Amino acid sequence: MRNEKFLYLCTAMDYTINVKGRLLDFAEPRVMGILNVTPDSFYADSRAATKQAVVERARQITSDGGTIIDVGACSTRPGSAPVSQEEETARLRMALRIVRQELPDAVLSIDTFRPEVACMAVEEFGADIINDISGGSTAMFRMVSRQRVPYILTSHQPTMRGILLDFAERVQQLRDFGQQDIILDPGFGFGKSLEDNYLVMSQLEQLQAMELPVLVGISRKSMIYKLLESSPERALNGTTMLNTVALMKGASILRVHDVHEAVECITLFNRLTVKTLPV
């Protein structure tokens, strides 16, 4: 029975999303690399506030095997005050212009909760995905459906039951607006205590009932380093461990600072899937 449950959890779900006419499939999990165009993100090594730093970080993500570059220009770390829309827009324009010049075919995700900023990124730079950590708004739903761009929906609910109910309601709202491509993020670190985060992780496979790809973003977060009485700088080992758990429970995307290590994690995980195990 234990082996059967393990094999079930390791079975990859063959989801796809449409990225400007290109199908991005998740038959095997993908890595999303974080590029923060901010001076104050909680993990200092993820910050790329200069043009040269943006170039180096974008190239590192792709060379290490990342499929998606997630560009953010407004820190959402606990206790931080969001920068103005004007500042966020200026930072993003600088970074996106550079990344599009250096890596024109890269799949770009925009980490923002502002519909106007998201719209700018899509219309001016052809952003491929909108990653909205706010939990969604009518204005954002209308914008992504109008632009026909894949959308990452985040839940701030503290329990898996609440997350499922939240997603069921909001996914239907998105469908009513005509949105086709939706990715679910259970929102580790958003609206959840340390205990809530681990309980949600332990029940993560329940999100497969939504029949949509799931993104997990726990990279170097406080749920790891606070439990281990450590720091973001020393949280890579814990991140890798929990990323492995997330993969076993059906995650399609790992959003990380450390792309190389996450890609290695997926490579090893793929050797344990039903497709590669002997009959």
Side-chain angles (χ1 to χ4, degrees):
M1 180 62 71
R2 285 185 178 180
N3 287 339
E4 290 177 1
K5 184 176 182 181
F6 176 77
L7 294 178
Y8 167 75
L9 293 177
C10 285
T11 302
M13 305 299 287
D14 193 9
Y15 299 120
T16 61
I17 60 171
N18 187 333
V19 179
K20 295 178 187 169
R22 295 181 295 166
L23 285 182
L24 183 60
D25 76 87
F26 299 106
E28 292 186 358
R30 304 278 187 158
V31 174
M32 171 187 282
I34 300 167
L35 195 169
N36 286 321
V37 196
T38 59
D40 57 347
S41 297
F42 78 92
Y43 179 49
D45 286 354
S46 72
R47 302 169 190 165
T50 68
K51 293 182 179 180
Q52 185 58 36
V54 169
V55 171
E56 292 175 358
R57 177 58 180 160
R59 286 177 176 169
Q60 179 188 31
I61 289 171
T62 56
S63 65
D64 283 350
T67 300
I68 305 165
I69 301 175
D70 191 47
V71 186
C74 178
S75 177
T76 56
R77 64 182 174 85
S80 65
V83 298
S84 68
Q85 181 173 313
E86 292 73 20
E87 178 66 19
E88 182 185 12
T89 299
R91 291 176 180 177
L92 274 177
R93 280 194 172 119
M94 180 274 288
L96 295 177
R97 186 174 296 111
I98 293 169
V99 176
R100 278 296 183 224
Q101 289 173 353
E102 296 290 326
L103 301 165
D105 296 325
V107 178
L108 298 184
S109 167
I110 308 302
D111 180 2
T112 185
F113 57 87
R114 293 176 168 130
E116 299 83 1
V117 174
C119 188
M120 176 279 297
V122 174
E123 293 184 346
E124 294 185 19
F125 299 97
D128 301 288
I129 300 169
I130 300 302
N131 181 12
D132 177 12
I133 58 88
S134 73
S137 65
T138 298
M140 184 68 89
F141 290 174
R142 284 177 174 160
M143 192 284 297
V144 294
S145 61
R146 184 177 67 253
Q147 296 287 352
R148 299 183 181 277
V149 61
Y151 177 67
I152 300 173
L153 175 66
T154 304
S155 179
H156 290 217
Q157 293 296 313
T159 67
M160 181 54 71
R161 182 177 184 276
I163 291 169
L164 286 167
L165 291 173
D166 185 33
F167 280 155
E169 178 182 357
R170 293 179 182 273
V171 166
Q172 186 57 56
Q173 290 174 357
L174 282 159
R175 296 297 192 206
D176 290 343
F177 282 114
Q179 180 66 13
Q180 297 297 314
D181 296 297
I182 303 168
I183 298 166
L184 303 178
D185 179 352
F188 291 103
F190 293 99
K192 300 170 182 63
S193 67
L194 188 147
E195 291 77 14
D196 293 335
N197 283 312
Y198 282 96
L199 187 56
V200 168
M201 178 65 78
S202 73
Q203 300 170 339
L204 192 68
E205 70 276 5
Q206 294 184 28
L207 288 180
Q208 298 304 309
M210 298 295 299
E211 298 186 348
L212 290 169
V214 172
L215 177 149
V216 168
I218 47 86
S219 182
R220 297 182 181 267
K221 284 188 174 180
S222 62
M223 65 178 283
I224 298 170
Y225 66 79
K226 285 185 177 180
L227 182 65
L228 299 178
E229 299 181 351
S230 182
S231 66
E233 291 71 24
R234 298 173 60 192
L236 175 56
N237 186 54
T239 296
T240 301
M241 184 274 172
L242 289 183
N243 277 339
T244 303
V245 172
L247 292 171
M248 292 175 62
K249 290 175 173 288
S252 294
I253 304 172
L254 300 179
R255 180 181 182 272
V256 300
H257 300 94
D258 308 281
V259 174
H260 177 75
E261 289 79 0
V263 169
E264 286 190 338
C265 183
I266 289 173
T267 299
L268 294 172
F269 165 77
N270 285 338
R271 295 295 296 174
L272 300 175
T273 62
V274 172
K275 293 180 182 178
T276 59
L277 286 171
V279 178

